[in-house]
Amino acid sequence: MTLNVYLSGEIHTDWRQDILDGCDRAGLDVAFSAPVTDHEASDDCGVAIMGAEADKFWHDHKGAKLNAIRTRRGLEQADIVVVRFGEKYKQWNAAFDAGMAAALGKSLIVMHGPEHQHPLKEVDAAALAVVETPEQVVQILTYVERGTLPG
Amino acid sequence: MTLNVYLSGEIHTDWRQDILDGCDRAGLDVAFSAPVTDHEASDDCGVAIMGAEADKFWHDHKGAKLNAIRTRRGLEQADIVVVRFGEKYKQWNAAFDAGMAAALGKSLIVMHGPEHQHPLKEVDAAALAVVETPEQVVQILTYVERGTLPG
Amino acid sequence: MTLNVYLSGEIHTDWRQDILDGCDRAGLDVAFSAPVTDHEASDDCGVAIMGAEADKFWHDHKGAKLNAIRTRRGLEQADIVVVRFGEKYKQWNAAFDAGMAAALGKSLIVMHGPEHQHPLKEVDAAALAVVETPEQVVQILTYVERGTLPG
Amino acid sequence: MTLNVYLSGEIHTDWRQDILDGCDRAGLDVAFSAPVTDHEASDDCGVAIMGAEADKFWHDHKGAKLNAIRTRRGLEQADIVVVRFGEKYKQWNAAFDAGMAAALGKSLIVMHGPEHQHPLKEVDAAALAVVETPEQVVQILTYVERGTLPG
Amino acid sequence: MTLNVYLSGEIHTDWRQDILDGCDRAGLDVAFSAPVTDHEASDDCGVAIMGAEADKFWHDHKGAKLNAIRTRRGLEQADIVVVRFGEKYKQWNAAFDAGMAAALGKSLIVMHGPEHQHPLKEVDAAALAVVETPEQVVQILTYVERGTLPG
Amino acid sequence: MTLNVYLSGEIHTDWRQDILDGCDRAGLDVAFSAPVTDHEASDDCGVAIMGAEADKFWHDHKGAKLNAIRTRRGLEQADIVVVRFGEKYKQWNAAFDAGMAAALGKSLIVMHGPEHQHPLKEVDAAALAVVETPEQVVQILTYVERGTLPG
Amino acid sequence: MTLNVYLSGEIHTDWRQDILDGCDRAGLDVAFSAPVTDHEASDDCGVAIMGAEADKFWHDHKGAKLNAIRTRRGLEQADIVVVRFGEKYKQWNAAFDAGMAAALGKSLIVMHGPEHQHPLKEVDAAALAVVETPEQVVQILTYVERGTLPG
Amino acid sequence: MTLNVYLSGEIHTDWRQDILDGCDRAGLDVAFSAPVTDHEASDDCGVAIMGAEADKFWHDHKGAKLNAIRTRRGLEQADIVVVRFGEKYKQWNAAFDAGMAAALGKSLIVMHGPEHQHPLKEVDAAALAVVETPEQVVQILTYVERGTLPG
């Protein structure tokens, strides 16, 4: 049965593509979903479709709600939710997604560097795996699907 | 019927006490719960009770899980969850709590300054109210319980 | 055990008070909740607490969300939801509450005059009782609590 | 993965077909469902199959319950529920469907003209998008599926 | 904590009173609820409050729905549901209640004589206890609350 | 999308086959499931596979539980549950299935002759349609899938 | 708000009483529930109330189901479930309770000696705390209720 | 519709393959899932992918959580959960899986020899079938799918 995986969080590096490529090379039966990663489209989608707003709060509000249609569907249909925290920015939407995933009972994998270990301890405590690299995610998905380990 | 309110997030200012005092002065029937706000106890509770860890990751892990016993009970029993984002730190646990509250269908109130408006847009989009001050929270709780507005 | 009853819908006549008085006279053990019925407060609560809006849509939006904190709590805690449709106005919020009550599995009582029978047929079809007067609601609550019928 | 969309509400204009045609032109992977839009069949289905009723209330009751088999299945299987309010009639069934969609946690899109803004404020407050035209719905579905914006 | 027990089924003998008396003598902390056991009131409640019906089907329909307000509340709030099948009548409502109790995950106790063993095998298979007498129910409630056995 | 229909109840006439044939002739996209209708196999399946029992109660118990594996799966996967009450026997398992279907929120269609109207009033009150013949079920399924009425 | 704690597992030492005494000394607001710990009563309750069985399997079956009425209520009403594995016996019921607690989303505390660390790794992985002594449980409950640490 | 079956428990004999072969010979439409049965991979998966641990507890913890991703998905997607207890070892993970399956409302089949009857009585009491051999499981799956009995 196809494994459904939602890839949440950081959108400034190629980590999603690295995971897709790795699973592709391994020949795994995985279907990925993700938020819209075009930063500009994601910020402006609300006003582009539903009309301009004078106030930045409502500009963002319309966009965030539109993005939520895609995001929540991805979270709800996933077997596994991978949330990556990058080096920069507040990334509160990533932590918010992790909280939703935990409350929905999804298997949560958190990816981040050692510099974020302490502030992410509550998020990590809700996860079934904490990793640093896309390759480790591919190894986990391979193990979950086939029971085989790297090397 | 007593209104159950969970006060999540920032622990370095007196905002929780301000809300409690305001509701007390107004004579509202509200019961508050909150995470442990003694920063040191919160960080070290796991090893203090269950034994030291050589590795900082597991030191934090034991503590974060112990705190989760209290946190999740507070979230699950709440009618309303107030999450405050302060000026400093990553505060990913606050965003994580907001995500859990949203997925559990709780009424979410988010409190933060204007400087955090853009990075908090996804969290704000899931809220029923976005405010800046404890006084506004007291006004909301007064309105929810009694239907009266300030001054 | 106290019966929890939410009284949704029309706010321009005294039907809620009639039901309260009737249950009081009958000595029933019922706890009532209801939306804020002060029309002006209900319309302006959002901007009164969280700041003015230039755009009427967002003025209403802030108020409607604030009212939802009270409304959804009332619906979720109720054993029985009574929804009254009056003679005037669109009253879409009443029908919206009835839809929520039905989806939450609440016992639904709908109150309206014969002139609204046809357009309310889908709402009536989801109800366990369809009545015209507050007195009938009191009779139903008396029967549910004590098993006795009028006169 | 196919996006399931339920199209609830007004049945006197071609808005459903406009959305279907737009999605078809865009080549989206969407499956639509809807209530029976043949007004006469919808009104009389109950008595046509299960026998005539002398009383108009029960005539309507039998029909409304039969239609509920289709309607609730459409709502429950949908990822997104679009509810359109037209210019005429009470349309309480549309608001009822919106309430059910909200309580079931569905992504809700509301479509109506500016003249209905105030009486629909509670319904709009539960929505993730409020639009005026079928074309905007097509643009939203395109964005949700592909992340691309119009023009 | 008070044990909530719903007593469903046969209404022509004193079995409910026997259980109440037995628990009273034993000093147990149990709260009982039950359907309306006045047969005539139960049959006519709908038309008595909401108006006469020419057709027996709708006469019964209005009453059955009104009784459902009380019945479903009793079932939903119960920790334990006791369903008794007597010697006479079809008693399909008793079996219907047992099915609801099973689907709601309630602890089900079924009471019937040996003559009904075979036709009740599916109901018994969903029960945690199958007994013949009110005294056995009292003994079970005593054991559940105190851990003590008779004699 | 294929309509999943579970056909519960009476096993001594050909009503299931009549519905299947009718849907087949109409070219509907319906998938049917049902309990095992071979009476002897249904009664003895438990002991045939898991060993004989001296006591009739446990003989029946083992069989009823084994049948529950199939029955509950059918109920849980169904969009629509049709329950037929025939002229003879206690048929408590049919009423039990109807109670489960109601508690699971399934669309319930009840089929029975006029002689059973009064004792089935609670079951009928939970149904979205009450019919007498297989042909009416086919007409309902046709209407639900296509919106067309007979003749 | 009173903390509800269910104490599952080993019944041959005084660990439950040690926890009760410790919480009593600390003055905590905790309500405890537990299975029947009188081994003989627990084994024979089914036949004592509902009649003897020739076959040991059914003797045990009747008792286990009766005990389940108490056990499942305790688990479902608990905020925290403590499961202790002692030094002897199979204790599969303890692990079964832990699995139920995990699936019900309860906060799970597991208590066992170091000799059982490896075979309990799956159970420990689902827990929010793993301890060895009753005193540690008292310290955890104190921390959850008051935020204070020992010493 | 394909029957989804999860095969939990003992990993030292060929019982899973025996069931697969039997269903294959019978031509049943069944999809099986199972934990990773390579004992060494199962024990070391966590550290192999996420890095070594000095402490055996955390070595096991990382592995147990990784295995939980696969195990819980298998349990949640199953229609039927078969749990086998072998002759040796503690097998607490098998009992834990059985508890989860029971709480999730899955149809549970328990397989064990007569020597484990008494200590498994609580697990057996939650099952819909208790068997000793893989062949009996194949016979049950055949009966559930086709309604036919052996021989």
Side-chain angles (χ1 to χ4, degrees), chain C residues 69-138:
Chain C
I69 297 178
R70 177 168 167 138
T71 303
R72 295 191 185 182
R73 183 169 174 254
L75 282 170
E76 283 167 12
Q77 293 184 341
D79 298 306
I80 297 174
V81 175
V82 182
V83 184
R84 171 169 159 79
F85 291 83
E87 290 168 26
K88 292 189 295 187
Y89 308 109
K90 293 292 187 184
Q91 307 183 78
W92 283 320
N93 57 331
F96 182 81
D97 282 359
M100 286 198 68
L104 294 169
K106 303 296 175 181
S107 287
L108 180 65
I109 299 175
V110 184
M111 193 194 315
H112 61 81
E115 72 281 11
H116 287 334
Q117 183 270 317
H118 187 67
L120 279 172
K121 63 184 188 295
E122 287 86 3
V123 179
D124 288 352
L128 289 179
V130 179
V131 301
E132 297 194 13
T133 69
E135 190 185 7
Q136 288 174 306
V137 174
V138 175

Side-chain angles (χ1 to χ4, degrees), chain B residues 31 38 49-50 78 89-91 96-98 118-119 121 141-142 150:
Chain B
D38 173 339
I49 295 175
M50 290 176 286
Y89 307 109
K90 293 294 187 185
Q91 307 183 75
F96 182 82
D97 281 1
H118 188 66
K121 64 184 187 296
L141 298 179
T142 305

Side-chain angles (χ1 to χ4, degrees), chain B residues 38-122:
Chain B
D38 173 339
H39 198 159
E40 202 175 330
S42 169
D43 268 11
D44 298 334
C45 61
V47 298
I49 295 175
M50 290 176 286
E53 291 292 331
D55 187 334
K56 185 63 162 58
F57 181 86
W58 298 118
H59 176 113
D60 281 349
H61 193 75
K62 276 167 124 171
K65 281 193 164 169
L66 210 49
N67 284 311
I69 298 178
R70 178 169 168 136
T71 304
R72 295 189 186 183
R73 181 168 174 256
L75 282 169
E76 283 167 13
Q77 294 184 340
D79 298 305
I80 296 174
V81 175
V82 182
V83 184
R84 174 171 156 78
F85 291 82
E87 290 167 26
K88 293 188 293 187
Y89 307 109
K90 293 294 187 185
Q91 307 183 75
W92 283 320
N93 58 329
F96 182 82
D97 281 1
M100 287 197 68
L104 294 170
K106 303 296 176 181
S107 287
L108 180 64
I109 298 174
V110 184
M111 193 194 315
H112 61 81
E115 73 279 12
H116 287 333
Q117 183 270 316
H118 188 66
L120 279 172
K121 64 184 187 296
E122 286 86 3

Side-chain angles (χ1 to χ4, degrees), chain G residues 21-76:
Chain G
D21 291 347
C23 289
D24 207 42
R25 273 194 300 274
L28 299 184
D29 181 14
V30 186
F32 291 99
S33 60
V36 172
T37 55
D38 174 338
H39 198 158
E40 201 175 331
S42 169
D43 268 10
D44 298 335
C45 61
V47 297
I49 296 176
M50 291 177 284
E53 291 293 331
D55 186 333
K56 186 63 160 56
F57 181 85
W58 297 118
H59 177 113
D60 281 350
H61 193 75
K62 276 167 126 172
K65 281 193 163 170
L66 210 49
N67 284 311
I69 297 179
R70 178 168 167 135
T71 304
R72 293 189 186 185
R73 183 170 174 254
L75 281 169
E76 283 167 12

